[in-house]
Coordinates of all heavy atoms in Angstrom, one line a residue:
H72 N 12.2 10.1 0.7 CA 11.3 10.6 1.5 C 10.6 9.7 2.5 O 9.4 9.8 2.8 CB 10.1 11.3 0.7 CG 10.6 12.5 -0.1 ND1 11.0 13.7 0.5 CD2 10.7 12.7 -1.4 CE1 11.3 14.6 -0.5 NE2 11.2 14.0 -1.7
N73 N 11.4 8.7 3.0 CA 10.9 7.9 4.0 C 11.2 8.7 5.4 O 12.2 9.3 5.6 CB 11.6 6.6 4.0 CG 11.2 5.8 2.6 OD1 10.1 5.3 2.6 ND2 12.2 5.7 1.7
E74 N 10.4 8.4 6.3 CA 10.4 9.3 7.6 C 11.5 8.9 8.5 O 12.2 9.8 9.0 CB 9.1 9.1 8.3 CG 7.8 9.7 7.6 CD 6.6 9.4 8.3 OE1 6.6 9.3 9.5 OE2 5.6 9.3 7.6
W75 N 11.8 7.6 8.8 CA 12.7 7.2 9.7 C 14.0 6.7 9.0 O 15.1 7.2 9.3 CB 12.2 6.2 10.7 CG 13.1 5.7 11.7 CD1 13.8 6.6 12.7 CD2 13.6 4.4 12.1 NE1 14.6 5.9 13.5 CE2 14.5 4.5 13.2 CE3 13.2 3.1 11.6 CZ2 15.1 3.4 13.8 CZ3 13.8 2.0 12.1 CH2 14.7 2.2 13.2
T76 N 13.9 5.8 8.2 CA 15.0 5.3 7.3 C 14.5 4.6 6.1 O 13.4 4.1 6.0 CB 15.8 4.2 8.2 OG1 17.0 3.9 7.5 CG2 15.0 3.0 8.4
G77 N 15.3 4.7 5.0 CA 14.9 4.1 3.8 C 15.0 2.6 3.9 O 14.1 1.8 3.5
H95 N 17.0 12.2 0.2 CA 16.1 13.1 0.9 C 15.1 12.3 1.9 O 14.0 12.4 1.9 CB 15.3 14.0 0.0 CG 14.9 15.3 0.6 ND1 14.0 15.4 1.5 CD2 15.5 16.5 0.5 CE1 13.9 16.6 2.0 NE2 14.8 17.3 1.4
N96 N 15.8 11.4 2.6 CA 15.1 10.6 3.6 C 15.1 11.3 4.9 O 15.8 12.3 5.1 CB 15.6 9.2 3.8 CG 15.4 8.4 2.5 OD1 14.2 8.0 2.3 ND2 16.4 8.1 1.7
C97 N 14.2 10.8 5.9 CA 14.2 11.5 7.3 C 13.7 12.9 7.2 O 14.2 13.7 7.9 CB 15.5 11.4 7.9 SG 16.4 9.8 7.8
D98 N 12.7 13.2 6.4 CA 12.2 14.5 6.2 C 10.9 14.8 7.1 O 10.2 15.8 6.9 CB 11.9 14.8 4.7 CG 10.8 13.9 4.2 OD1 10.4 12.9 4.8 OD2 10.3 14.2 3.0
R99 N 10.7 14.1 8.2 CA 9.7 14.4 9.1 C 10.3 14.1 10.5 O 11.2 13.3 10.7 CB 8.5 13.5 9.0 CG 7.7 13.8 7.7 CD 6.4 13.1 7.7 NE 5.6 13.4 8.7 CZ 4.3 13.1 8.8 NH1 3.8 12.2 8.0 NH2 3.5 13.6 9.7
N100 N 9.8 14.8 11.5 CA 10.3 14.7 12.9 C 9.9 13.3 13.5 O 8.7 13.0 13.4 CB 9.8 15.8 13.8 CG 10.4 15.8 15.1 OD1 11.5 15.4 15.3 ND2 9.6 16.2 16.1
V105 N 17.6 9.2 13.1 CA 17.2 9.1 11.8 C 18.4 8.8 10.9 O 19.5 9.3 11.1 CB 16.5 10.2 11.3 CG1 15.1 10.4 11.9 CG2 17.2 11.5 11.5
S106 N 18.2 8.0 9.8 CA 19.3 7.7 8.9 C 18.7 7.2 7.7 O 17.6 6.7 7.5 CB 20.3 6.7 9.4 OG 19.6 5.4 9.7
A107 N 19.4 7.5 6.5 CA 19.0 7.0 5.2 C 18.9 5.5 5.1 O 18.0 4.9 4.4 CB 19.8 7.6 4.0
T126 N 20.2 13.5 3.3 CA 19.5 13.0 4.4 C 19.2 14.1 5.4 O 20.1 14.9 5.7 CB 20.4 11.9 5.1 OG1 20.7 10.9 4.2 CG2 19.6 11.3 6.4
Q127 N 17.9 14.2 5.9 CA 17.5 15.3 6.7 C 17.5 15.1 8.2 O 17.8 14.0 8.6 CB 16.0 15.6 6.3 CG 15.8 16.0 4.8 CD 16.5 17.2 4.4 OE1 16.2 18.2 4.9 NE2 17.5 17.1 3.6
N128 N 17.3 16.1 8.9 CA 17.3 16.0 10.3 C 16.3 17.1 10.8 O 16.5 18.2 10.9 CB 18.6 16.3 11.0 CG 18.6 16.4 12.5 OD1 17.8 15.6 13.1 ND2 19.4 17.2 13.0
V129 N 15.0 16.6 10.9 CA 13.9 17.6 11.2 C 13.5 17.7 12.7 O 13.5 16.7 13.3 CB 12.7 17.2 10.4 CG1 11.5 18.2 10.6 CG2 13.0 17.2 8.8
G135 N 20.9 11.9 11.7 CA 20.7 12.5 10.3 C 21.9 11.9 9.5 O 22.3 12.7 8.6
E136 N 22.4 10.7 9.7 CA 23.5 10.2 8.8 C 22.9 9.4 7.7 O 21.8 8.9 7.6 CB 24.5 9.4 9.6 CG 23.9 8.1 10.1 CD 23.2 8.1 11.5 OE1 23.1 9.3 12.1 OE2 22.8 7.2 12.0

Side-chain angles (χ1 to χ4, degrees):
H72 293 295
N73 296 287
E74 294 176 28
W75 183 52
T76 188
H95 209 283
N96 291 286
C97 314
D98 60 354
R99 294 187 63 174
N100 183 34
V105 293
S106 59
T126 304
Q127 300 296 295
N128 175 34
V129 178
E136 71 270 4

